């Protein structure tokens, strides 16, 4: 996993876009998790936020919504997925299915996803330890612990 000193500034800009998506979900009453998909030129090609609560769809995690919003593509192996929270096993599996080679994670303090599975498949993981992501998720967990536990299957 890359260290903060080796992270290009553009990755922080992409995380800001993902964070804005997490705020959108939070303000809609959902889980504050956001994601963006970035092409090889650094252009955001799709955005998504967790819609599980808002739609009643248990698969509507931010990363899956973001990938759905990207539509049919053939360039998946050149893209980067940015997520405010470490991706769960479902989102990890979806990313692996489409051979997305780089995942930028805002934080894994509040939830450690399937990062070992990414590493096993040679995915480049970059952890930003973004304080905004950490604080928003901590706030949500304090405010809605039952909803958080429902989301993580506890």
């Amino acid at each position: 996993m890359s260290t903060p000193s080796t992270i290009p500034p553009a990755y922080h800009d992409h995380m800001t876009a993902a964070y804005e998506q997490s705020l959108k979900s939070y303000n809609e009453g959902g889980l504050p998790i956001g994601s963006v998909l970035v092409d090889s030129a650094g252009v955001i090609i799709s955005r998504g936020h967790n819609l599980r609560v808002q739609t009643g769809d248990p698969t509507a995690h931010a990363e899956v919504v973001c990938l759905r919003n990207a539509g049919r593509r053939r360039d998946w192996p050149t893209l980067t997925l940015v997520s405010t929270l470490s991706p769960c096993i479902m989102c990890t599996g979806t990313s692996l299915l489409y051979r997305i080679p780089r995942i930028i994670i805002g934080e894994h303090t509040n939830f450690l996803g399937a990062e070992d599975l990414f590493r096993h498949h040679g995915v480049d993981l970059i952890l930003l330890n973004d304080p905004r992501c950490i604080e928003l998720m901590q706030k949500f967990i304090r405010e809605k612990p039952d909803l958080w536990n429902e989301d993580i299957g506890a």
Side-chain angles (χ1 to χ4, degrees):
M1 191 166 301
S2 297
T3 61
S5 63
T6 64
I7 296 171
Y11 290 0
H12 293 284
D13 295 337
H14 297 138
M15 185 55 65
T16 295
Y19 179 74
E20 289 168 357
Q21 289 294 305
S22 70
L23 285 174
K24 184 174 182 180
S25 185
Y26 178 80
N27 291 329
E28 293 172 355
L31 284 93
I33 305 167
S35 186
V36 297
L37 193 62
V38 181
D39 71 12
S40 58
V43 175
I44 295 173
I45 56 174
S46 70
R47 301 166 194 267
H49 61 280
N50 190 294
L51 291 170
R52 195 183 64 76
V53 172
Q54 299 91 313
T55 64
D57 178 354
T59 67
H61 289 204
E63 299 88 348
V64 172
V65 170
C66 183
L67 296 179
R68 283 182 191 152
N69 289 341
R72 293 178 59 194
R73 310 188 66 85
R74 294 178 185 232
D75 63 346
W76 297 108
T78 68
L79 304 178
T80 297
L81 183 66
V82 181
S83 180
T84 58
L85 187 65
S86 182
C88 73
I89 191 77
M90 178 181 69
C91 297
T92 298
T94 304
S95 300
L96 291 173
L97 175 68
Y98 290 104
R99 298 181 325 277
I100 297 172
R102 180 178 303 109
I103 309 294
I104 301 172
I105 300 168
E107 69 110 338
H108 66 191
T109 301
N110 291 293
F111 178 79
L112 179 60
E115 294 177 19
D116 286 343
L117 186 55
F118 277 131
R119 282 188 206 94
H120 177 75
H121 287 272
V123 173
D124 181 20
L125 290 179
I126 300 163
L127 176 64
L128 297 183
N129 285 314
D130 189 302
R132 300 168 301 176
C133 298
I134 295 168
E135 291 167 17
L136 182 59
M137 186 55 68
Q138 286 174 342
K139 178 181 176 183
F140 174 79
I141 292 168
R142 277 192 314 274
E143 292 174 349
K144 299 182 179 181
D146 290 343
L147 187 54
W148 171 245
N149 286 332
E150 174 190 322
D151 192 65
I152 62 171

